[in-house]
Amino acid sequence: MSQQGYVAAPPYSQAQPGMGGYQGGFGAGPAQPLYGHYGGQPQQFTAPTTGMMKSPVSPAAGLPPPPVSSQYNPNIQQNGAHPQRYPAPPAASPAYGQPPQPAYNSMASQAPPPAQQLTNQMSAMNLGNYAPPPAMGQPQMPTQMSPPQSPPATMSMGGPPMAGPAMAGQQMAGPPMAGMGRPFAGAPPPGPGGFQQPGPGGPGPLGYPQQAGPFGGPMAGPQPGMPGAFPGAPGGLAGPPQQKLSADSIPSITQVIEEDQGKQGGQVYSTNTRGQVPPLVTTDFSVQDQGNASPRFMRCTTYTLPCTADLAKQCQVPLATIIKPFASLPKNETPLYIVNHGETGPIRCNRCKAYMCPYMQFLDGGRRYQCSFCSCVNEVPAPYFQHLDHMGRRVDFYERPELSLGSYEFAATLEYCKNNKPPNPPAYIFMIDVSYNNIKSGLVKLICEELKTLLENLPREEGMESSAIKVGFVTYNKVLHFYNVKSALAQPQMMVVSDTAEMFLPLLDGFLVNYQESRAVIYNLLDQIPDMFADTNESETVFAPVIQAGVEAFKAAECSGKLFIFQSSMPTAEAPGKLKNRDDKKLVNTEKEKTLFQPQKGVYEQLSKDCVAQGCCVDLFLFPSQYMDLATMGDVPSHTGGSVYKYNNFQVETDGEHFLRDLRKDVQKSIGFDAIMRVRTSTGFRATDFFGAIHMNNTTDVEMAAIDCDKAVTVELKHDDTLSEESGALMQCALLYTTISGQRRLRIHNLSLNCSSQLMELYKSCETDSLVNFFAKSAYRAMLNQPLKNVREILVNQTAHMLACYRKNCASPSAASQLILPSAMKVLPVYMNSLMKSAPLVGSTELSTDDRAHQRLSVTSMGVEDTQLLLYPRLIPLHNMDVSSEALPAPVRCSEEGLTDSGMFLLENGHSMFLWLGQASPPDLIQSIFNVPSLGHLQGHMCALPEVDTPLSKKVRSIINGLLEKRPNSMKLQIVRQRDKPEMFFRQFLVEDKGLHGGASYMDFLTYVHREIRQLLT
Ligand SMILES: [Zn+2]
């Protein structure tokens, strides 16, 4: 039996809510055999017929208003006609209960018995596809493969072409390879998790070079046949000289993105099929929830789990799901419905506490239901009883989101609230460092001016006239100034706390106020602050006491909320949490490099715990002119669901707008507070590890002071038993949180995956973008405990292992000189190489420690879209586009080879944005964008394009604005001319090329990985 649900829960968690009245007494196990849930009930997940649903309500602030907001009523079941959620997609517009595609049956047909499957694969893959490979490795794209996925990519990586088919059968049908359980015997495989063992040290199993770190550090001279990339590669591995391939012949991310957009772009993706692989994150598609959570909320590294732990170990493909519980939905998708089960609270399984969901199986004419997570049979509470139709499905199936949808919310009862009291609305406290630097730079004035408009637009609950969020203000340097901005006052009052060792709140009444009521006093205050400190000489600041003050304020007001802290220097004033400069470039590329990224323990660790306990999220806006120990200062934000923004050498003129865009987005984001998340799974596997801006007090409850629409939690999954192909694998993510108006809610996301004993099925269902998200997060965590060299080695080894296992078990036999990649992973090497070259992992003294620490922390809470873009930036040609077209020009490969001397390119990765101008850019191009006659006339530090009235200028500006709008973070536009010095900063983002600070080109990396694979297979 599953063990979920038995771990001690914190006092106000979801352990025992509201089920007191439903003592079913069925805790001892299933009274009835488990139904063949997905085989026998194909109709269960068909499209809900439109118009049967409760009206949608907006789940949180900031989401688009529901299309039918007039019908919002969380407590009333509406029986009338409802607006159509979507024009039903052609294939999934079944008559009621008569699906043309029995959703879960179709899975069975996708998973034929192993023997048959093998034959299918063999015959499919041999259908003329592995005939003599092309001389120079044009990717083979067999078109006749039977599975829905596209076929593996095949490349001949040098060496004479061999007659592939002649070797037929040798690998697939031959005797089992030695040590199937540990396929690559000789070394402890890192395991699917990759970084579980601190300090594995030493070379990889195959004598992986231990020298300077093949992918980092200064590159040695080129090796024969290996242009510069792998200085330490042992000569013995060299084999025949590798010929230089053309970049066009190796798998391209831009091509993969374009193909998926072509195939699935603009389509409606219905979530009615278990284990279905969704479109790529880069594809523009709509989602129709038909029983599984939208991929916007949950994505997986693979949608088919291996049945056994042995298989998982053998392939080393990490099993993980990336959950973004508050993901923004496009305007044409329905916000989550709210279900209210009244005073008794949400219906839950007595044993494992899973919430009512589409996977529960009703029995006994509807009087009982069997939990699909733990098999417990539960009594249906009397008020919830409903008859079943002839298919065994409740007749109110389509009227109840919790029976028919993958994602929905429950109104939470008092049992889900702290101290059994309904929460107060959250508060936002703005805490401004008014030390010398910030006054002098004009930052304080800028913030105060902006707040006047920003506070008018605080997030509101759907249907409410004004925001319920309270606001408060603190300024500080060595001491803290609190402001009383009570509406009754004519003037704000300041209270100074200079004893920062024992932080206390000098006032209760009037500190946290309703903005609308206190607008006049707040305006007054915001006008006065820059003047009050205009003559300050104080350059020292405190930091930990500032956060402590925020926590105390929330404690006193019995609310959760967010601190917006604007700080420009390292806190060196005598106070708790005082920091000193510990940056040391000599540590780079040594065993001790990791210490640069480890936060200072003590004060900040405790502060994180205090914050999480109070639901206090910390957002940090940093304006450094030198080292600030970001690893430590970012520690509290990165455990409280917060963000860290950083503006090096901030100047109002060049960075002001960039900063304000971030601030506006951040304040207005949709967000939930005081959150606790639990991932329940069906028997056989469980969630074992969690990555995100989170805090864990035990092994199962993910605590977040807040979680916003851009934050994701990556959850690693491991087997604890054998999974069944028939029942598949189920996950339910339940997030308990407080809305921006102080309502307590539960947000539920359900996802069902396939299980297979065939590795081929797993490889077919992989999602590279999700894999890379997992690898990035686990590598960035691992670098706190082990040398970067080891972390990079594990990444390379695991890449090779995953691909070699595919080659050995799934691919049809072919010449060893051919590199065969599973179709779903064919661009994995590009991403892995890019990850190893990313600033945190690269180990270069030329990079700032704070910049590296910043990226490390940012990635920890990123969703799949963000890691994808970060590791493979968009490079968009702008010089030859059709200015009349609405579409964004197709990006080109992120390589110097994609650039042209006479071209103009935009590059962005979600954090940086460049406009690159070729040195031979035609004068009319320059004229139409910059209104100057030539490149030479361009000003040095432009951060925005002038508003020139030409079609090209308008189009370029609209592309840039569109991207800034779309990304979670603002980006500062940097304009670089080819061959100018700043071009270097641009070039480090051309991730297919050799790294500026070390690291191989994509081509060299692929060649190297191929060599590793060949080693593993011999
Ligand atoms: Zn259960």
Side-chain angles (χ1 to χ4, degrees):
M1 282 300 119
S2 162
Q3 293 303 304
Q4 310 105 12
Y6 292 113
V7 181
Y12 65 103
S13 84
Q14 311 153 23
Q16 296 294 332
M19 294 303 295
Y22 305 132
Q23 299 300 339
F26 289 99
Q32 301 219 347
L34 182 59
Y35 276 25
H37 199 125
Y38 297 104
Q41 303 283 332
Q43 283 83 2
Q44 181 154 1
F45 286 86
T46 55
T49 44
T50 52
M52 298 282 293
M53 212 50 89
K54 268 172 64 175
S55 10
V57 292
S58 176
L63 289 185
V68 287
S69 52
S70 62
Q71 298 189 9
Y72 165 42
N73 185 335
N75 295 314
I76 295 177
Q77 295 284 337
Q78 298 204 5
N79 297 315
H82 288 257
Q84 192 159 319
R85 307 171 77 221
Y86 262 106
S93 52
Y96 202 32
Q98 276 260 316
Q101 266 191 324
Y104 283 152
N105 266 359
S106 68
M107 297 321 299
S109 62
Q110 280 183 23
Q116 183 203 336
Q117 185 184 33
L118 192 62
T119 316
N120 287 352
Q121 286 164 14
M122 294 289 285
S123 57
M125 296 177 71
N126 280 326
L127 275 176
N129 296 321
Y130 290 84
M136 268 320 278
Q138 284 301 315
Q140 295 267 314
M141 288 296 158
T143 51
Q144 304 180 46
M145 196 149 158
S146 53
Q149 282 81 2
S150 55
T154 308
M155 285 148 290
S156 178
M157 296 294 285
M162 310 214 14
M167 301 171 72
Q170 184 180 325
Q171 289 188 358
M172 305 291 284
M177 311 277 290
M180 287 303 273
R182 278 178 69 193
F184 313 120
F195 300 100
Q196 303 302 316
Q197 325 280 335
L206 302 160
Y208 192 85
Q210 209 168 17
Q211 294 93 317
F215 300 105
M219 295 283 110
Q223 299 283 309
M226 291 290 291
F230 306 104
L237 283 182
Q242 305 281 323
Q243 285 167 280
K244 175 90 177 165
L245 297 171
S246 81
D248 295 339
S249 66
I250 55 180
S252 150
I253 289 181
T254 50
Q255 196 186 339
V256 166
I257 289 174
E258 231 172 286
E259 279 170 9
D260 197 64
Q261 175 67 32
K263 218 164 55 189
Q264 313 200 63
Q267 312 259 319
V268 175
Y269 173 77
S270 297
T271 67
N272 58 348
T273 308
R274 188 179 86 190
Q276 186 179 209
V277 183
L280 297 181
V281 280
T282 44
T283 295
D284 184 19
F285 62 102
S286 302
V287 181
Q288 187 173 34
D289 184 340
Q290 294 192 350
N292 285 293
S294 159
R296 302 192 204 287
F297 296 124
M298 284 177 91
R299 283 188 173 264
C300 295
T301 53
T302 176
Y303 294 81
T304 299
L305 300 182
C307 279
T308 63
D310 275 353
L311 275 178
K313 199 170 167 187
Q314 189 182 343
C315 67
Q316 295 199 15
V317 175
L319 308 177
T321 177
I322 297 98
I323 309 175
K324 210 190 217 185
F326 274 96
S328 303
L329 299 179
K331 287 193 170 61
N332 62 344
E333 290 179 19
T334 318
L336 300 197
Y337 295 80
I338 302 177
V339 179
N340 194 336
H341 283 165
E343 285 176 12
T344 51
I347 314 288
R348 306 177 69 173
C349 170
N350 282 329
R351 182 188 292 160
C352 73
K353 302 294 171 195
Y355 294 83
M356 181 52 65
C357 70
Y359 312 136
M360 300 300 185
Q361 185 68 51
F362 286 88
L363 315 166
D364 277 358
R367 282 183 295 274
R368 297 193 293 168
Y369 70 93
Q370 180 163 37
C371 173
S372 296
F373 294 90
C374 74
S375 300
C376 172
V377 175
N378 296 272
E379 196 97 355
V380 172
Y384 196 68
F385 174 80
Q386 185 54 268
H387 293 285
L388 308 183
D389 65 15
H390 64 289
M391 304 302 304
R393 192 171 57 191
R394 283 171 61 117
V395 299
D396 60 355
F397 178 76
Y398 289 122
E399 290 158 28
R400 290 193 176 272
E402 77 274 22
L403 297 182
S404 51
L405 296 180
S407 300
Y408 43 88
E409 296 203 317
F410 286 115
T413 46
L414 288 181
E415 284 94 330
Y416 295 84
C417 303
K418 257 179 201 162
N419 307 323
N420 288 345
K421 274 168 62 181
N424 289 315
Y428 286 0
I429 306 179
F430 298 88
M431 315 181 97
I432 308 169
D433 161 4
V434 289
S435 64
Y436 178 77
N437 279 343
N438 275 358
I439 295 290
K440 194 179 135 224
S441 71
L443 177 69
V444 173
K445 195 171 171 53
L446 185 74
I447 295 170
C448 289
E449 281 303 312
E450 179 66 21
L451 284 180
K452 291 180 192 169
T453 43
L454 199 48
L455 295 176
E456 297 284 353
N457 299 307
L458 290 173
R460 282 177 299 172
E461 195 81 64
E462 179 64 33
M464 283 177 73
E465 243 173 51
S466 63
S467 174
I469 296 172
K470 297 236 162 105
V471 293
F473 304 88
V474 171
T475 55
Y476 65 95
N477 37 46
K478 265 162 82 170
V479 300
L480 278 77
H481 324 106
F482 294 81
Y483 297 94
N484 185 342
V485 284
K486 209 166 147 179
S487 59
L489 295 174
Q491 283 282 325
Q493 296 170 345
M494 183 206 268
M495 257 148 278
V496 180
V497 175
S498 48
D499 180 8
T500 50
E502 295 276 337
M503 203 60 227
F504 70 98
L505 195 65
L507 77 168
L508 291 180
D509 193 29
F511 178 62
L512 293 177
V513 298
N514 179 301
Y515 174 71
Q516 302 297 334
E517 289 167 13
S518 292
R519 188 195 276 124
V521 194
I522 292 173
Y523 251 68
N524 201 324
L525 172 69
L526 294 172
D527 279 338
Q528 288 186 37
I529 287 176
D531 296 338
M532 277 192 283
F533 300 99
D535 301 323
T536 186
N537 291 319
E538 187 53 72
S539 58
E540 289 203 308
T541 55
V542 296
F543 179 60
V546 178
I547 299 177
Q548 191 69 50
V551 176
E552 297 302 324
F554 291 152
K555 246 185 225 168
E558 296 187 340
C559 70
S560 52
K562 178 140 95 168
L563 310 180
F564 296 81
I565 303 181
F566 307 91
Q567 172 125 1
S568 68
S569 59
M570 196 160 67
T572 52
E574 205 50 57
K578 172 185 170 176
L579 297 175
K580 57 175 190 285
N581 191 334
R582 61 188 183 106
D583 192 16
D584 186 357
K585 287 281 165 63
K586 287 197 295 296
L587 299 183
V588 171
N589 277 322
T590 71
E591 291 273 323
K592 286 190 177 155
E593 184 170 7
K594 61 192 178 198
T595 59
L596 295 173
F597 304 103
Q598 293 165 348
Q600 302 289 69
K601 296 277 182 206
V603 171
Y604 291 99
E605 209 175 11
Q606 185 56 43
L607 211 43
S608 289
K609 286 180 187 162
D610 293 351
C611 282
V612 171
Q614 188 54 45
C616 170
C617 168
V618 178
D619 272 358
L620 194 51
F621 295 79
L622 295 175
F623 307 86
S625 49
Q626 55 193 349
Y627 175 79
M628 282 184 87
D629 192 356
L630 200 136
T632 302
M633 293 193 71
D635 194 44
V636 176
S638 65
H639 285 97
T640 59
S643 305
V644 179
Y645 303 89
K646 186 148 116 19
Y647 311 90
N648 294 342
N649 303 308
F650 178 83
Q651 289 180 302
V652 169
E653 307 76 52
T654 48
D655 308 275
E657 195 50 39
H658 169 40
F659 153 62
L660 291 179
R661 274 195 305 259
D662 274 335
L663 179 60
R664 288 175 202 136
K665 269 181 196 249
D666 193 287
V667 168
Q668 291 167 7
K669 262 178 196 183
S670 87
I671 186 168
F673 289 94
D674 201 10
I676 183 160
M677 185 177 101
R678 179 76 172 262
V679 179
R680 291 183 172 80
T681 51
S682 52
T683 47
F685 76 117
R686 66 198 159 89
T688 53
D689 209 347
F690 303 83
F691 303 83
I694 58 173
H695 176 77
M696 308 264 318
N697 258 332
N698 56 43
T699 55
T700 54
D701 294 306
V702 181
E703 294 182 63
M704 291 165 283
I707 178 157
D708 65 48
C709 56
D710 298 316
K711 299 286 188 298
V713 180
T714 297
V715 181
E716 188 175 11
L717 309 166
K718 289 236 168 84
H719 288 78
D720 49 17
D721 204 345
T722 300
L723 297 168
S724 137
E725 289 192 353
E726 188 195 10
S727 20
L730 311 177
M731 288 187 282
Q732 182 177 77
C733 161
L735 181 86
L736 176 65
Y737 74 100
T738 301
T739 72
I740 45 159
S741 68
Q743 296 176 37
R744 202 73 174 146
R745 294 224 192 115
L746 279 147
R747 178 171 279 221
I748 312 289
H749 296 299
N750 301 291
L751 187 62
S752 59
L753 304 178
N754 281 339
C755 298
S756 176
S757 51
Q758 301 299 309
L759 282 178
M760 182 64 183
E761 293 303 311
L762 174 140
Y763 279 102
K764 265 172 25 189
S765 308
C766 277
E767 187 180 285
T768 291
D769 296 334
S770 294
L771 281 168
V772 172
N773 178 281
F774 174 84
F775 279 119
K777 291 187 182 190
S778 55
Y780 284 4
R781 179 191 287 176
M783 61 183 275
L784 290 183
N785 300 313
Q786 39 187 310
L788 295 190
K789 181 169 63 74
N790 291 11
V791 176
R792 293 191 300 258
E793 281 175 12
I794 291 171
L795 288 172
V796 186
N797 289 343
Q798 199 166 352
T799 305
H801 273 283
M802 287 160 59
L803 299 175
C805 179
Y806 173 82
R807 173 74 179 251
K808 190 169 75 176
N809 295 288
C810 307
S812 64
S814 56
S817 59
Q818 280 193 327
L819 174 61
I820 299 179
L821 304 172
S823 170
M825 278 188 202
K826 68 182 171 191
V827 288
L828 181 72
V830 199
Y831 286 114
M832 295 300 264
N833 187 39
S834 175
L835 172 60
M836 285 187 291
K837 292 190 286 184
S838 67
L841 286 180
V842 81
S844 162
T845 50
E846 288 169 49
L847 294 166
S848 116
T849 304
D850 274 349
D851 284 350
R852 297 173 69 196
H854 185 214
Q855 180 170 339
R856 197 189 80 76
L857 291 178
S858 308
V859 164
T860 305
S861 59
M862 276 188 191
V864 180
E865 300 87 328
D866 299 340
T867 46
Q868 191 280 330
L869 184 61
L870 184 72
L871 293 172
Y872 200 83
R874 300 282 178 282
L875 181 58
I876 306 167
L878 298 177
H879 50 280
N880 51 4
M881 63 181 166
D882 175 6
V883 290
S884 61
S885 159
E886 287 289 299
L888 196 68
V892 297
R893 298 179 78 137
C894 232
S895 159
E896 188 176 353
E897 288 176 40
L899 303 173
T900 48
D901 285 1
S902 58
M904 173 169 74
F905 292 81
L906 189 71
L907 183 143
E908 62 108 5
N909 71 350
H911 290 259
S912 302
M913 183 185 265
F914 295 88
L915 186 67
W916 181 90
L917 301 161
Q919 58 177 358
S921 298
D924 57 331
L925 182 79
I926 299 301
Q927 184 74 47
S928 66
I929 297 288
F930 298 98
N931 209 16
V932 295
S934 78
L935 272 182
H937 289 79
L938 280 185
Q939 297 295 320
H941 288 90
M942 291 177 79
C943 54
L945 295 182
E947 298 201 0
V948 184
D949 191 18
T950 62
L952 183 62
S953 169
K954 283 180 188 164
K955 174 78 180 165
V956 169
R957 282 180 286 130
S958 108
I959 288 175
I960 291 173
N961 289 335
L963 291 169
L964 289 176
E965 187 70 27
K966 197 170 163 190
R967 308 296 181 216
N969 294 303
S970 166
M971 292 173 272
K972 179 181 171 184
L973 180 67
Q974 300 171 71
I975 296 166
V976 293
R977 287 177 290 199
Q978 187 179 15
R979 309 249 159 88
D980 271 6
K981 203 170 169 228
E983 196 199 10
M984 202 178 80
F985 299 111
F986 163 83
R987 286 192 179 256
Q988 62 185 330
F989 294 102
L990 298 177
V991 298
E992 290 201 16
D993 298 343
K994 188 162 168 274
L996 222 57
H997 305 289
S1001 72
Y1002 170 32
M1003 182 78 71
D1004 291 343
F1005 180 70
L1006 197 59
T1007 311
Y1008 186 84
V1009 166
H1010 185 211
R1011 191 184 296 179
E1012 290 286 289
I1013 293 171
R1014 291 169 71 171
Q1015 280 291 314
L1016 290 167
L1017 293 173
T1018 50

